[in-house]
Amino acid sequence: MRQGEDACILAIGRMVEVAVAAADRLAEEGLSCGVINARWLEPMDPRLAQWASRYPVLVTAEENVEAGGFGSAVLEALAPLGLAGKVHLQALPDQFLPHGRQAELLAQAGLDATGLAAAVRKAVGATRITPS
């Protein structure tokens, strides 16, 4: 959906729109963030390895729990290539959620544009730290 240099968000389903909004926010801060509409879950897109090689950071965004979800599938596909360390998962916690409005629950889990931008910012910051 868009190209970037500093990070890439792999978003699935309704998270694609959120990812674009997060990337827009990050662009205003000078952070170049690509967005990929991961409209596939299985089989994994064969271009995944290319994207993982191109970007220093990949952040997955899904309205699912981490365990057994889209992000886990991305990690599983990239692990044999030594690229799983670039992947950061943004998903719902693996617990029962309270009742509430969907937008509020997603925001609490960092799955709104603000939270997703913060997750990307944090992941990119972690890659820019030089060991002493």
Side-chain angles (χ1 to χ4, degrees), residues 55-109:
Y55 288 99
V57 171
L58 295 176
V59 176
T60 63
E62 63 183 304
E63 283 182 278
N64 189 25
V65 295
E66 283 184 13
F70 169 67
S72 293
V74 170
L75 286 172
E76 187 176 315
L78 294 177
L81 305 173
L83 297 170
K86 294 181 167 200
V87 180
H88 302 265
L89 308 184
Q90 196 67 11
L92 293 170
D94 192 7
Q95 63 191 35
F96 288 106
L97 299 176
H99 287 278
R101 293 180 179 212
Q102 184 181 32
E104 292 170 1
L105 296 174
L106 291 173
Q108 289 173 7

Coordinates of all heavy atoms in Angstrom, one line a residue, residues 55-109:
Y55 N 13.5 -4.3 4.9 CA 13.2 -3.4 6.0 C 13.9 -3.8 7.3 O 14.0 -5.0 7.6 CB 11.7 -3.4 6.3 CG 10.8 -2.7 5.3 CD1 10.2 -3.5 4.3 CD2 10.7 -1.4 5.3 CE1 9.4 -2.8 3.4 CE2 9.9 -0.7 4.4 CZ 9.3 -1.4 3.4 OH 8.5 -0.8 2.4
P56 N 14.4 -2.9 8.1 CA 15.1 -3.2 9.3 C 14.2 -3.7 10.4 O 14.6 -4.5 11.3 CB 15.8 -1.9 9.7 CG 15.1 -0.8 9.0 CD 14.5 -1.4 7.8
V57 N 12.9 -3.3 10.3 CA 11.9 -3.7 11.3 C 10.5 -4.0 10.6 O 10.1 -3.3 9.7 CB 11.6 -2.5 12.2 CG1 10.4 -2.8 13.1 CG2 12.8 -2.2 13.1
L58 N 9.9 -5.1 11.0 CA 8.6 -5.5 10.6 C 7.7 -5.5 11.8 O 8.0 -6.1 12.8 CB 8.5 -6.8 9.9 CG 9.3 -7.0 8.6 CD1 9.2 -8.5 8.2 CD2 8.7 -6.1 7.5
V59 N 6.5 -4.9 11.7 CA 5.5 -4.9 12.8 C 4.3 -5.5 12.2 O 3.7 -5.0 11.2 CB 5.3 -3.5 13.4 CG1 4.2 -3.5 14.4 CG2 6.5 -2.9 14.0
T60 N 3.8 -6.6 12.9 CA 2.5 -7.1 12.4 C 1.4 -6.5 13.2 O 1.5 -6.2 14.4 CB 2.5 -8.7 12.6 OG1 2.6 -9.0 13.9 CG2 3.6 -9.3 11.8
A61 N 0.2 -6.3 12.6 CA -0.9 -5.7 13.2 C -2.1 -6.6 12.9 O -2.5 -6.8 11.8 CB -1.1 -4.3 12.8
E62 N -2.8 -7.1 14.0 CA -3.9 -8.0 13.8 C -4.9 -7.9 15.0 O -4.5 -7.6 16.1 CB -3.5 -9.4 13.7 CG -2.8 -10.0 14.9 CD -2.3 -11.4 14.7 OE1 -3.1 -12.3 14.4 OE2 -1.1 -11.6 14.9
E63 N -6.2 -8.1 14.7 CA -7.2 -8.1 15.7 C -7.4 -9.6 16.2 O -8.4 -10.2 16.0 CB -8.5 -7.7 15.2 CG -8.7 -6.2 15.1 CD -10.0 -5.8 14.6 OE1 -10.3 -5.9 13.3 OE2 -10.9 -5.5 15.4
N64 N -6.3 -10.2 16.7 CA -6.3 -11.5 17.1 C -5.3 -11.6 18.2 O -4.5 -10.7 18.4 CB -5.9 -12.4 15.9 CG -6.1 -13.9 16.2 OD1 -6.9 -14.3 17.0 ND2 -5.3 -14.7 15.5
V65 N -5.3 -12.7 18.9 CA -4.2 -12.9 20.0 C -2.9 -13.3 19.3 O -2.9 -13.8 18.2 CB -4.6 -14.0 21.0 CG1 -5.8 -13.5 21.8 CG2 -4.9 -15.3 20.4
E66 N -1.8 -13.0 19.9 CA -0.5 -13.3 19.4 C -0.3 -14.8 19.1 O 0.1 -15.2 18.0 CB 0.6 -12.9 20.3 CG 0.9 -11.4 20.3 CD 2.0 -11.0 21.2 OE1 2.8 -11.9 21.6 OE2 2.2 -9.8 21.5
A67 N -0.6 -15.6 20.1 CA -0.4 -17.1 19.9 C -1.3 -17.7 18.8 O -2.5 -17.6 18.9 CB -0.7 -17.8 21.3
G68 N -0.6 -18.2 17.8 CA -1.3 -18.9 16.8 C -2.0 -18.0 15.8 O -2.7 -18.4 14.9
G69 N -1.6 -16.7 15.8 CA -2.2 -15.7 14.9 C -1.3 -15.4 13.7 O -0.4 -16.1 13.4
F70 N -1.7 -14.3 13.0 CA -0.9 -13.9 11.8 C 0.5 -13.6 12.1 O 1.4 -14.1 11.4 CB -1.6 -12.7 11.2 CG -0.8 -12.0 10.2 CD1 -0.6 -12.7 9.0 CD2 -0.3 -10.8 10.3 CE1 0.2 -12.0 8.0 CE2 0.5 -10.1 9.4 CZ 0.7 -10.8 8.2
G71 N 0.8 -12.9 13.2 CA 2.2 -12.6 13.6 C 3.0 -13.8 13.9 O 4.2 -13.9 13.5
S72 N 2.4 -14.8 14.5 CA 3.1 -16.1 14.8 C 3.4 -16.8 13.5 O 4.5 -17.3 13.3 CB 2.2 -17.0 15.6 OG 2.1 -16.4 16.9
A73 N 2.5 -16.7 12.5 CA 2.8 -17.3 11.2 C 3.9 -16.6 10.5 O 4.8 -17.3 9.8 CB 1.5 -17.3 10.3
V74 N 4.0 -15.3 10.6 CA 5.1 -14.5 10.0 C 6.4 -15.0 10.7 O 7.4 -15.2 10.0 CB 4.9 -13.0 10.1 CG1 6.1 -12.2 9.8 CG2 3.7 -12.6 9.3
L75 N 6.4 -15.0 12.0 CA 7.6 -15.5 12.7 C 8.1 -16.9 12.3 O 9.2 -17.1 12.0 CB 7.4 -15.5 14.2 CG 7.3 -14.1 14.9 CD1 6.9 -14.3 16.3 CD2 8.7 -13.4 14.8
E76 N 7.1 -17.8 12.1 CA 7.4 -19.1 11.8 C 8.0 -19.2 10.4 O 8.9 -20.0 10.1 CB 6.1 -20.0 11.8 CG 6.3 -21.4 11.6 CD 5.0 -22.2 11.7 OE1 4.2 -21.9 12.7 OE2 4.7 -23.0 10.9
A77 N 7.5 -18.4 9.5 CA 8.0 -18.4 8.1 C 9.4 -17.8 8.0 O 10.2 -18.2 7.2 CB 7.0 -17.6 7.2
L78 N 9.7 -16.8 8.8 CA 11.0 -16.1 8.7 C 12.1 -16.7 9.6 O 13.3 -16.5 9.4 CB 10.8 -14.6 9.1 CG 9.9 -13.8 8.1 CD1 9.8 -12.4 8.6 CD2 10.6 -13.8 6.7
A79 N 11.7 -17.5 10.6 CA 12.7 -18.1 11.5 C 13.8 -18.9 10.8 O 15.0 -18.7 11.1 CB 12.0 -18.9 12.6
P80 N 13.4 -19.8 9.9 CA 14.4 -20.6 9.2 C 15.4 -19.7 8.4 O 16.5 -20.2 8.1 CB 13.7 -21.5 8.2 CG 12.3 -21.5 8.8 CD 12.1 -20.2 9.4
L81 N 15.0 -18.5 8.0 CA 15.9 -17.6 7.3 C 16.7 -16.7 8.1 O 17.4 -15.8 7.6 CB 15.0 -16.8 6.3 CG 14.1 -17.6 5.4 CD1 13.1 -16.6 4.6 CD2 14.9 -18.4 4.4
G82 N 16.5 -16.8 9.5 CA 17.2 -15.9 10.4 C 16.7 -14.5 10.4 O 17.4 -13.6 10.9
L83 N 15.5 -14.3 10.0 CA 14.9 -13.0 9.9 C 13.8 -12.7 11.0 O 13.3 -11.6 11.0 CB 14.3 -12.7 8.5 CG 15.4 -12.8 7.4 CD1 14.7 -12.8 6.0 CD2 16.3 -11.6 7.5
A84 N 13.5 -13.7 11.8 CA 12.4 -13.5 12.8 C 12.7 -12.4 13.8 O 11.8 -11.8 14.4 CB 12.2 -14.8 13.5
G85 N 14.0 -12.1 14.1 CA 14.4 -11.1 15.0 C 13.9 -9.7 14.6 O 13.9 -8.8 15.5
K86 N 13.6 -9.5 13.4 CA 13.1 -8.2 12.9 C 11.6 -7.9 13.2 O 11.1 -6.9 13.0 CB 13.3 -8.1 11.4 CG 14.7 -8.1 10.9 CD 14.8 -7.9 9.4 CE 16.2 -7.6 9.0 NZ 16.2 -7.0 7.6
V87 N 10.9 -9.0 13.6 CA 9.5 -9.0 13.7 C 9.0 -8.6 15.1 O 9.5 -9.2 16.0 CB 8.9 -10.3 13.2 CG1 7.3 -10.3 13.3 CG2 9.3 -10.7 11.8
H88 N 8.1 -7.7 15.2 CA 7.5 -7.3 16.4 C 6.0 -7.4 16.2 O 5.4 -6.9 15.3 CB 7.8 -5.8 16.7 CG 9.3 -5.6 16.9 ND1 10.0 -5.6 18.0 CD2 10.2 -5.4 15.9 CE1 11.2 -5.4 17.8 NE2 11.4 -5.3 16.5
L89 N 5.3 -8.1 17.2 CA 3.9 -8.4 17.1 C 3.1 -7.4 17.8 O 3.4 -7.1 19.0 CB 3.6 -9.8 17.6 CG 4.4 -11.0 17.0 CD1 4.0 -12.3 17.6 CD2 4.4 -11.0 15.5
Q90 N 2.0 -6.9 17.2 CA 1.0 -6.1 17.8 C -0.3 -6.7 17.7 O -0.9 -6.8 16.6 CB 1.1 -4.7 17.2 CG 0.4 -3.6 17.9 CD 1.2 -3.2 19.2 OE1 2.3 -3.7 19.4 NE2 0.6 -2.5 20.1
A91 N -0.8 -7.3 18.8 CA -2.0 -8.1 18.8 C -2.7 -8.0 20.1 O -2.2 -7.3 21.0 CB -1.7 -9.5 18.5
L92 N -3.9 -8.6 20.2 CA -4.6 -8.6 21.5 C -3.9 -9.5 22.5 O -3.3 -10.5 22.1 CB -6.0 -9.1 21.2 CG -6.9 -8.2 20.4 CD1 -8.2 -9.0 20.0 CD2 -7.2 -6.9 21.1
P93 N -4.0 -9.1 23.8 CA -3.4 -10.0 24.8 C -4.2 -11.3 24.8 O -5.4 -11.4 24.5 CB -3.6 -9.2 26.1 CG -4.7 -8.3 25.8 CD -4.7 -8.0 24.3
D94 N -3.5 -12.4 25.2 CA -4.1 -13.7 25.3 C -4.8 -13.9 26.6 O -4.3 -14.6 27.5 CB -3.0 -14.8 25.1 CG -3.6 -16.2 24.8 OD1 -4.8 -16.3 24.7 OD2 -2.8 -17.1 24.8
Q95 N -5.9 -13.2 26.7 CA -6.7 -13.2 27.9 C -8.1 -12.8 27.6 O -8.4 -12.3 26.5 CB -6.1 -12.3 29.0 CG -6.1 -10.8 28.5 CD -5.3 -9.9 29.4 OE1 -4.3 -10.3 29.9 NE2 -5.8 -8.7 29.6
F96 N -9.0 -13.1 28.5 CA -10.4 -12.6 28.3 C -10.4 -11.1 28.4 O -9.8 -10.5 29.3 CB -11.3 -13.2 29.4 CG -11.6 -14.7 29.2 CD1 -11.0 -15.6 30.0 CD2 -12.4 -15.1 28.1 CE1 -11.2 -17.0 29.8 CE2 -12.6 -16.5 27.9 CZ -12.0 -17.4 28.8
L97 N -11.1 -10.5 27.5 CA -11.2 -9.1 27.4 C -12.5 -8.6 28.1 O -13.5 -9.3 28.1 CB -11.2 -8.6 26.0 CG -9.9 -8.9 25.2 CD1 -10.1 -8.4 23.7 CD2 -8.7 -8.3 25.8
P98 N -12.4 -7.4 28.7 CA -13.6 -6.9 29.4 C -14.6 -6.5 28.3 O -14.3 -6.3 27.1 CB -13.1 -5.7 30.1 CG -11.9 -5.3 29.4 CD -11.3 -6.5 28.9
H99 N -15.9 -6.3 28.7 CA -16.9 -5.8 27.7 C -16.6 -4.4 27.5 O -16.1 -3.7 28.4 CB -18.3 -6.0 28.3 CG -18.7 -7.5 28.2 ND1 -19.2 -8.0 27.1 CD2 -18.7 -8.4 29.2 CE1 -19.5 -9.3 27.3 NE2 -19.2 -9.6 28.6
G100 N -16.8 -3.9 26.3 CA -16.6 -2.5 26.1 C -16.8 -2.2 24.6 O -16.9 -3.2 23.8
R101 N -16.6 -1.0 24.2 CA -16.7 -0.6 22.8 C -15.4 -1.1 22.1 O -14.3 -1.0 22.7 CB -16.8 0.9 22.7 CG -18.1 1.4 23.2 CD -18.2 2.9 23.0 NE -19.5 3.3 23.5 CZ -20.2 4.3 23.0 NH1 -19.6 5.1 22.1 NH2 -21.4 4.6 23.5
Q102 N -15.6 -1.6 20.9 CA -14.5 -2.2 20.2 C -13.3 -1.2 20.1 O -12.2 -1.6 20.3 CB -15.0 -2.7 18.8 CG -13.9 -3.4 18.0 CD -14.3 -3.8 16.7 OE1 -15.2 -3.1 16.1 NE2 -13.8 -4.9 16.2
A103 N -13.6 0.0 19.7 CA -12.6 1.0 19.5 C -11.8 1.2 20.8 O -10.6 1.4 20.8 CB -13.2 2.3 19.1
E104 N -12.5 1.2 22.0 CA -11.8 1.4 23.2 C -10.9 0.2 23.6 O -9.8 0.4 24.1 CB -12.8 1.7 24.3 CG -13.5 3.0 24.2 CD -14.7 3.1 25.2 OE1 -14.9 2.2 26.0 OE2 -15.4 4.1 25.1
L105 N -11.4 -1.0 23.3 CA -10.6 -2.2 23.6 C -9.4 -2.3 22.7 O -8.3 -2.7 23.2 CB -11.5 -3.4 23.5 CG -12.7 -3.5 24.5 CD1 -13.6 -4.7 24.1 CD2 -12.2 -3.6 25.9
L106 N -9.6 -1.9 21.5 CA -8.4 -2.0 20.5 C -7.4 -0.9 21.0 O -6.2 -1.2 20.9 CB -8.9 -1.7 19.1 CG -9.7 -2.9 18.5 CD1 -10.2 -2.5 17.1 CD2 -8.9 -4.2 18.4
A107 N -7.8 0.2 21.4 CA -6.9 1.3 21.8 C -6.1 0.8 23.0 O -4.9 1.1 23.1 CB -7.7 2.6 22.1
Q108 N -6.8 0.2 24.0 CA -6.1 -0.3 25.2 C -5.1 -1.3 24.8 O -4.0 -1.5 25.5 CB -7.1 -1.0 26.1 CG -8.0 0.0 26.8 CD -9.1 -0.7 27.6 OE1 -9.2 -1.9 27.8 NE2 -10.1 0.1 28.1
A109 N -5.3 -2.1 23.7 CA -4.3 -3.1 23.3 C -3.2 -2.5 22.3 O -2.4 -3.2 21.8 CB -5.0 -4.2 22.6

